[in-house]
Each structure stands twice: as structure tokens, then as C-alpha cells.
Amino acid sequence: MTGFQIFLLVFFGMVLIGSVVTLARGVSPKLSLVTMIVSLAACGATIRPDATTDLARMVGIQRGTDLILYCTVLVMMVGFFLFYLRLRALRRELTEVVRHVAMSEAVERPDGAAHREPRDTEPRNRGSET
Amino acid sequence: MIAAYNEQDVIEPVVRDVQQLWPNVVVVDDGSTDATFDAAGREAKFVLRHVINRGQGAALQTGIEYALRKGAQYIVTFDADGQHRPEDIAAMIEPIADGRCAITLGSRFLGRRAVNLPWTRRVMLRLAVLFTRVVNRMPLTDAHNGLRCFSREAAMRITITADRMAHASELIDLTRRTHLPYQEVPVEIRYTSYSLAKGQSSLEALRILFHYVMARISR
């Protein structure tokens, strides 16, 4: 095995162990499971690169590298989409907070537009705050 | 109710003109970086402020919820940039008050001619209408008109969750889903050089489309 392969193996191995631990602890189970599977596959592909070609042929693709490429793009697209959904949910929650603050600090003038400051004095107050 | 973002120059006269006819004006300042909040506070009866900008859809939702809390029976959304005429508000409320429908949507294409409408903007609007007919299954002549009126019941049923400007199309969607009767009312849009400069560019329109599609997929 080349040095680079060892480095990759160590890296993927650490990710694998980390994901197993997180899974065992019950933290983000779905994400941990996916990470575990992906890092396991990555370890396998590092040790036996030719195995990817066998796998690829099974699904009708000529080269193992092509299979890895397609899978990577697929995983990336799905991953980004899921993060986008999370981001949207976060934005929505943020708006809820901003709305709550806006409501509780609403300014109301009991006499409406009739209460108007003369133009040439300092506008000291905008009317009574509720 | 009027949602405003950085409209310090026009918000005072706009609010003043509306309040002369309809005294209960709610202004929601959507995190403006200029003096919109202060300017609005000098004229409007109710002023709320988003501490950070959340988009017009969110600002409208805040205003609607606040108005409902205050016991509003009819809620009219009105643009802050002077494009709408306060005189049209009565026509927006009347069909609802008569019990003919629960929601009225202003349309610049019905009957009257828009004043100073550039042909490029007219084409963009026609495309938006086509989009609405196909996607929302609701035949509307004007899909992007900010002048709308909701009965109390309709307002309570509608929750605007779209981010940024995508709310315009989502609002049409939500209107359809309430299955409440609606009606388009002819109104006049004033295109001043100020409002045209602030209007949507074609790129904005594309972004709105994208956000709307994403919202549909991830519902």
C-alpha cells in the first residue's frame, strides 16, 4: 500500500469510528448512519480500488471511478438540498422571533394621526408607548 | 396595513393620505436602515418594527397578525411607495362587506388603464399571470398586485411562510387553498419614477420563481 492510501485509510477510519460512536450515543442517528456507510465504502475503495470497477459493472457502468464520481455528485446534491431545507426552517424560526419582538414593542397612538407635532419643534416623542 | 423597507421619503405622505380615509393604519418597518420607522411614527396610528429585515412577506404577516389582535374585521394590504391610490381601498372592502366574497385582489388590468406603464413591465406582468394560471390553477389578471383585502376569517386562515418576495405567488396559492370566495377588483397603479426604480428587475423575477418552486417541492 502506498503512503497516500494509508493516509486515506487513517482518515476514513477515524470518520468511521467517530460515526459509530455518535450512532451509539444516539446523536443525529440518520446522519451518523449515512456517514458510517459512506466512510466504510471509502475504506473499502481505498484498500481495494479494483472492487469499485466490479461494483460499477454490476450497475452497467464501465469504470469504477465513474461510479464514484456519480455517487459523489448524487450525495452532494442530496446533501445540499437537505441543508437548504434546514436553512429555510431556521430562517422561519428567526422570523418568528423578530415578529414576537415587533409585536411586543409595537407603538400605538391612541389619538391616531390627529396627534401631530408642530413642524418647527424637536419631535421629542412619537406619542404614547403602550 | 403597510409594509415598508427603506421608504423614509415617501412613507409619511403615503400614510397621511390613507389615514385621512381610513384611520387605522398599521405600518410594519421591515428592518429599514434609514429613518422609515421615525417617519412612519410621525403619521401612522400603529407602527411595528422588525429588528432585522425578513422580507415583505414576513412584514405583511406581522401586520396582519397585529391587526387581527387589534380586532380588525377587514385588512387591506397597501404598498408603501405610493403606487396605490387610497381611493381604491373602498372598492376593495365593499365586495367583502357585502358578503360576496372573503378576499379581494386588486388588478391593474381590469377595466382601467395603468398610468405610465412601460411596455417591458407590461410583458413581465403578462408572463407572471400566465404562470399563475398554469401553476396555481387560479385565473388572475394581475398576480403581483400588492393591494389586497382580507376578511377577518380569511386573514386568520392564511399564514405567509414564504421568505423574501416569493410570498406574492404563495399568497395566491394560499388564497386558493382556503377555498374562500375571492374577487378581482380594478384598481389604478401609479408608476412614478420613484416606484419604477424600486420595482423588480427581471433577475429578481427569476429568483422569485426559484424560491416559489422550492417552497412547493419542500412542502
Side-chain angles (χ1 to χ4, degrees):
Chain A
M1 265 210 298
T2 67
F4 189 64
Q5 274 177 305
I6 295 173
F7 163 74
L8 284 177
L9 210 54
V10 168
F11 180 77
F12 291 141
M14 292 203 309
V15 173
L16 180 64
I17 293 169
S19 63
V20 169
V21 170
T22 348
L23 189 65
R25 285 202 195 164
V27 177
S28 313
K30 281 186 279 188
L31 190 62
S32 305
L33 190 64
V34 171
T35 312
M36 200 176 84
I37 294 170
V38 172
S39 50
L40 201 60
C43 286
T46 310
I47 298 171
R48 282 250 177 278
D50 296 330
T52 59
T53 318
D54 300 327
L55 203 63
R57 295 266 166 82
M58 285 203 292
V59 289
I61 299 174
Q62 274 291 72
R63 297 187 300 182
T65 50
D66 290 342
L67 179 68
I68 293 175
L69 183 66
Y70 299 149
C71 287
T72 305
V73 172
L74 201 67
V75 168
M76 269 176 56
M77 282 183 167
V78 172
F80 277 128
F81 182 69
L82 291 175
F83 266 104
Y84 174 76
L85 289 183
R86 293 237 179 140
L87 187 66
R88 270 171 51 93
L90 190 67
R91 287 181 56 92
R92 218 164 280 177
E93 286 174 2
L94 186 59
T95 302
E96 288 292 316
V97 176
V98 171
R99 177 163 303 136
H100 180 86
V101 171
M103 297 269 208
S104 52
E105 293 183 355
V107 176
E108 179 182 343
R109 283 146 26 121
D111 42 359
H115 176 78
R116 214 186 288 185
E117 309 284 350
R119 293 255 176 249
D120 50 8
T121 64
E122 279 288 303
R124 284 186 307 280
N125 56 323
R126 287 184 294 275
S128 55
E129 318 251 345
T130 45
Chain B
M1 63 119 335
I2 299 173
Y5 180 67
N6 286 347
E7 303 276 10
Q8 65 178 11
D9 296 327
V10 291
I11 190 71
E12 273 187 86
V14 167
V15 172
R16 191 164 38 237
D17 290 344
V18 174
Q19 263 186 177
Q20 272 163 7
L21 299 175
W22 303 94
N24 294 326
V25 171
V26 176
V27 172
V28 176
D29 169 21
D30 190 19
S32 299
T33 54
D34 66 4
T36 298
F37 181 67
D38 298 325
R42 284 195 282 274
E43 287 295 340
K45 186 165 181 191
F46 306 97
V47 189
L48 286 82
R49 178 188 219 169
H50 283 173
V51 285
I52 49 180
N53 178 256
R54 302 311 297 160
Q56 194 180 33
L60 287 177
Q61 177 63 11
T62 301
I64 288 173
E65 277 188 33
Y66 184 77
L68 287 172
R69 273 197 207 183
K70 288 288 178 185
Q73 295 301 310
Y74 309 99
I75 300 174
V76 177
T77 61
F78 195 88
D79 281 1
D81 57 6
Q83 278 196 0
H84 293 147
R85 300 189 322 156
E87 303 81 64
D88 285 332
I89 295 177
M92 299 293 294
I93 299 178
E94 189 197 326
I96 300 178
D98 287 348
R100 282 180 272 150
C101 62
I103 300 170
T104 53
L105 307 163
S107 170
R108 74 201 82 189
F109 293 126
L110 280 185
R112 306 190 203 167
R113 296 226 146 275
V115 180
N116 300 328
L117 178 59
W119 76 267
T120 47
R121 193 62 62 88
R122 205 193 294 266
V123 167
M124 288 291 324
L125 283 167
R126 290 282 186 205
L127 288 172
V129 171
L130 198 66
F131 174 69
T132 315
R133 273 185 205 261
V134 168
V135 176
N136 294 126
R137 298 180 291 274
M138 238 171 82
L140 291 182
T141 60
D142 190 351
H144 282 84
N145 197 314
L147 188 55
R148 309 178 185 101
C149 185
F150 303 92
S151 69
R152 185 179 180 81
E153 183 197 352
M156 290 196 291
R157 290 213 211 173
I158 286 176
T159 309
I160 304 168
T161 54
D163 295 335
R164 303 286 140 178
M165 284 296 289
H167 84 278
S169 286
E170 168 147 344
L171 201 61
I172 306 300
D173 221 27
L174 289 164
T175 301
R176 180 179 58 84
R177 280 170 205 256
T178 60
H179 298 291
L180 291 170
Y182 70 93
Q183 195 173 313
E184 279 193 296
V185 173
V187 297
E188 200 170 297
I189 300 289
R190 291 187 288 225
Y191 287 94
T192 63
S193 54
Y194 175 82
S195 61
L196 280 171
K198 295 206 76 190
Q200 292 162 223
S201 66
S202 309
L203 193 65
E204 279 285 317
L206 275 171
R207 270 215 287 138
I208 292 168
L209 199 70
F210 173 73
H211 276 282
Y212 178 71
V213 170
M214 293 307 300
R216 271 301 197 95
I217 292 174
S218 55
R219 208 185 287 282

